[in-house]
Amino acid sequence: MSRMNSMDEVYAKLTQDQIDEIEEKFARADAAQKIFEKWSQEEVDRTIRAIAWKVANTQTFKELVKMSIEESGMGDPVTRENKKYKIRGVLRDALRQKSVGIIEEIPEKGIVKYGKPVGVIACVIPATNPDLTPAGNAIYALKARNAIIFSPHPRAAKTGGRTIELMREGLRQVGAPEDLIQILGQGKAKINRAMSEALNTKCDLVIATGGQGVVRRAYYSGTPAYGVGAGNATMIWDETAKQDLHKAAYNTMLSKTSDFGSGCSADGNIIIHESIYDDAIKELIAVGGYLLSEEEQKAIKKIMWDEECHRLPESVAVSPQRMAELAGFSIPEDRKFLIAKGTSSYTTSYEDVWCREKLTTLLAVHKYEGEFQNAINIVKAIHEVGGKGHSVGIFSFDDDHIHRLALEACVGRIMVRQPQSKSNAGSFTNGMPMTSSLGCGTWGGNATSENVHLHHYMNVTWVSREIPEDRPSDEELFGEFYEPEREGRA
């Protein structure tokens, strides 16, 4: 188990107060988990309902959203409130699955599977989601009968602390050990990167949702970890999108404006077929887009990236009006997002930054000509710059195009005629597992390409019973390569 890791090296970077806090909270979490792992499925399900309601009720979640935006300076107070439905979705998925005792039986194979907890989980909270991420991860963690300790981003530590406090109230309400859910950095110990790294090393599993630095540190901890890859959500609109350009544009508007584009699934690029390109731009403007002039686009570029292509923080997750203000011009109050034109070149150079991840209310449009393969090639080129493994969407009514994209795109998920920020991580109108953590597979440096959900939070014991022999003949197995004489047969 990862708790057998030596802590000497990571503790050498901490103050004694930080060490004491990690040791104390881990001991309390460990003791609480040992009690909770003996609870029945019914008791566990009642517990996750209690903690979810404490955070996801409309009144409380609105307060948390207000608190988080005031604290971090990022995000949209209107659309962020919709994330309470993601918590409901995670709860729905968790309640529909078993995690105690027998969780699956496959009689024809003589297999019975038993769910087991992993122990104490460490979880990093990103600054953009100090309300959603703790709730979603706590539901899955406790459904699997684990304890969980959160490490907050310093820009959102207060909101993270309040969210955990609310869930602990829910634990007390059902008589569960409240130390099943804890958070660092609320006392005299100062939360920082080194403290978060030490927590990762101490615990049994890490769930890392955040930037690539956060994820890499989780993998370096020596503890089993599930991390997420960088996003750079890209859409293709092929020529068949002409059938419903308004819906295509409306979907992108929803995706691009949700929480001011802070999510890794917020549409950043649209690759549009030449035959519908002009009409597509008009439709994007009709649903709230503002097409930047050449000079305005240059000004926006300077407030988004430095000349080494590092993303500048002041323009992350802000309104299009604020973006324009930072760049030295103004736009109408009714505009919901900015539109920039790509360079038709997809490299890592400063000239081509428009194909990078945006993390704000700016969308880049790119034209493709001719055959659909050209759109696929642009997707691949964009993902080599950033976002490989994460996602791509397609607004098409051509099943062959959808199939071809699925065969070639190196991503974990493809959304068809859906707004990616509302659907990649699961929605009530698709079958994707609900989550706040999107694995990007080996393409994105992750251990899984799936949406991180319940089965990633548990261990499973397989019990096998003997079945009738299932042994194909050598002729069946080796087919045309089988040579009977080499087996001593005439």
Side-chain angles (χ1 to χ4, degrees), residues 232 346-348 377-388 410:
N232 190 14
Y346 310 97
T347 74
T348 57
N377 292 342
I378 292 174
V379 167
K380 290 179 176 180
I382 287 175
H383 282 162
E384 289 302 321
V385 174
K388 194 172 184 180
C410 296

Side-chain angles (χ1 to χ4, degrees), residues 71-370:
E71 184 179 15
S72 70
M74 296 186 292
D76 173 32
V78 176
T79 55
R80 183 176 287 187
E81 287 185 27
N82 293 330
K83 292 183 178 181
K84 67 186 178 186
Y85 297 115
K86 180 65 68 180
I87 299 173
R88 286 164 164 78
V90 169
L91 180 63
R92 179 203 68 179
D93 284 3
L95 289 170
R96 289 178 178 177
Q97 299 174 76
K98 295 179 180 180
S99 61
V100 179
I102 296 173
I103 62 172
E104 185 181 0
E105 297 182 77
I106 312 174
E108 66 275 17
K109 292 188 176 182
I111 296 294
V112 180
K113 300 180 185 180
Y114 291 75
K116 307 286 178 64
V118 300
V120 181
I121 296 174
C123 182
V124 179
I125 305 173
T128 51
N129 268 326
D131 28 43
L132 168 62
T133 299
N137 280 282
I139 291 168
Y140 280 142
L142 268 64
K143 173 71 181 193
R145 293 176 293 157
N146 302 301
I148 188 165
I149 304 173
F150 292 97
S151 178
H153 191 287
R155 282 186 70 172
K158 184 178 177 183
T159 307
R162 177 58 180 155
T163 305
I164 273 62
E165 180 185 327
L166 287 164
M167 290 192 288
R168 285 168 66 89
E169 288 177 9
L171 293 174
R172 291 193 293 270
Q173 187 176 354
V174 298
E178 64 181 299
D179 289 332
L180 288 169
I181 304 175
Q182 300 180 74
I183 187 170
L184 299 180
Q186 304 299 301
K188 57 183 179 180
K190 181 181 179 182
I191 185 69
N192 58 15
R193 178 184 298 178
M195 193 176 185
S196 180
E197 290 174 355
L199 178 68
N200 291 347
T201 302
K202 183 73 176 178
C203 290
D204 300 301
L205 176 70
V206 182
I207 305 291
T209 304
Q212 287 306 286
V214 169
V215 174
R216 280 194 293 270
R217 290 192 293 275
Y219 286 136
Y220 293 157
S221 68
T223 301
Y226 289 110
V228 301
N232 190 14
T234 296
M235 286 287 301
I236 296 175
W237 295 5
D238 69 7
E239 58 270 37
T240 70
K242 186 176 182 179
Q243 295 181 40
D244 200 347
L245 267 181
H246 176 74
K247 183 179 180 182
Y250 186 75
N251 281 355
T252 285
M253 181 275 292
L254 290 177
S255 187
K256 183 74 272 180
T257 59
S258 179
D259 206 10
F260 286 160
S262 62
C264 56
S265 291
D267 288 358
N269 303 285
I270 309 182
I271 303 163
I272 306 171
H273 191 263
E274 58 181 335
S275 66
I276 62 169
Y277 182 82
D278 291 338
D279 288 339
I281 299 296
K282 291 176 183 176
E283 203 61 56
L284 286 167
I285 293 170
V287 297
Y290 178 86
L291 183 62
L292 295 166
S293 68
E294 188 174 336
E295 289 304 312
E296 289 170 338
Q297 190 163 321
K298 289 179 182 178
I300 287 290
K301 181 179 181 179
K302 291 179 181 179
I303 60 128
M304 289 185 67
W305 294 278
D306 65 21
E307 292 188 0
E308 295 181 347
C309 300
H310 299 128
R311 188 67 174 83
L312 300 173
E314 193 176 6
S315 57
V316 171
V318 296
S319 71
Q321 287 74 24
R322 176 60 178 159
M323 292 277 288
E325 180 185 355
L326 289 170
F329 60 95
S330 63
I331 63 171
E333 286 299 314
D334 68 343
R335 297 297 86 190
K336 299 175 181 178
F337 60 97
L338 306 177
I339 304 170
K341 291 185 177 181
T343 60
S344 298
S345 179
Y346 310 97
T347 74
T348 57
S349 71
Y350 183 65
E351 288 70 26
D352 297 326
V353 288
W354 304 108
C355 66
R356 289 175 174 268
E357 185 176 31
K358 317 300 188 297
L359 295 175
T360 196
T361 47
L362 182 132
L363 172 74
V365 291
H366 313 271
K367 184 191 295 186
Y368 82 94
E369 300 174 349

Side-chain angles (χ1 to χ4, degrees), residues 329-489:
F329 60 95
S330 63
I331 63 171
E333 286 299 314
D334 68 343
R335 297 297 86 190
K336 299 175 181 178
F337 60 97
L338 306 177
I339 304 170
K341 291 185 177 181
T343 60
S344 298
S345 179
Y346 310 97
T347 74
T348 57
S349 71
Y350 183 65
E351 288 70 26
D352 297 326
V353 288
W354 304 108
C355 66
R356 289 175 174 268
E357 185 176 31
K358 317 300 188 297
L359 295 175
T360 196
T361 47
L362 182 132
L363 172 74
V365 291
H366 313 271
K367 184 191 295 186
Y368 82 94
E369 300 174 349
E371 217 277 318
F372 184 68
Q373 185 62 44
N374 295 327
I376 296 176
N377 292 342
I378 292 174
V379 167
K380 290 179 176 180
I382 287 175
H383 282 162
E384 289 302 321
V385 174
K388 194 172 184 180
H390 193 279
S391 63
V392 65
I394 180 168
F395 202 97
S396 172
F397 295 91
D398 186 325
D399 286 340
D400 180 62
H401 283 182
I402 296 165
H403 175 63
R404 288 167 58 190
L405 179 64
L407 286 174
E408 293 199 44
C410 296
V411 295
R413 51 205 60 79
I414 295 176
M415 299 298 112
V416 179
R417 299 194 301 275
Q418 300 174 73
Q420 288 194 83
S421 70
K422 304 289 187 181
S423 53
N424 273 341
S427 80
F428 293 108
T429 56
N430 72 23
M432 299 294 292
M434 293 279 194
T435 187
S436 58
S437 302
L438 302 178
C440 296
T442 57
W443 302 301
N446 298 157
T448 181
S449 59
E450 295 183 306
N451 288 10
V452 179
H453 59 288
L454 181 61
H455 82 80
H456 298 101
Y457 289 73
M458 67 171 76
N459 290 318
V460 177
T461 298
W462 291 45
V463 175
S464 172
R465 289 178 170 81
E466 191 175 41
I467 61 173
E469 186 176 66
D470 180 15
R471 187 199 301 267
S473 68
D474 284 351
E475 290 86 347
E476 289 177 280
L477 285 172
F478 298 107
E480 63 183 289
F481 303 102
Y482 179 64
E483 300 174 62
E485 62 273 15
R486 290 182 179 268
E487 293 295 309
R489 300 176 185 175

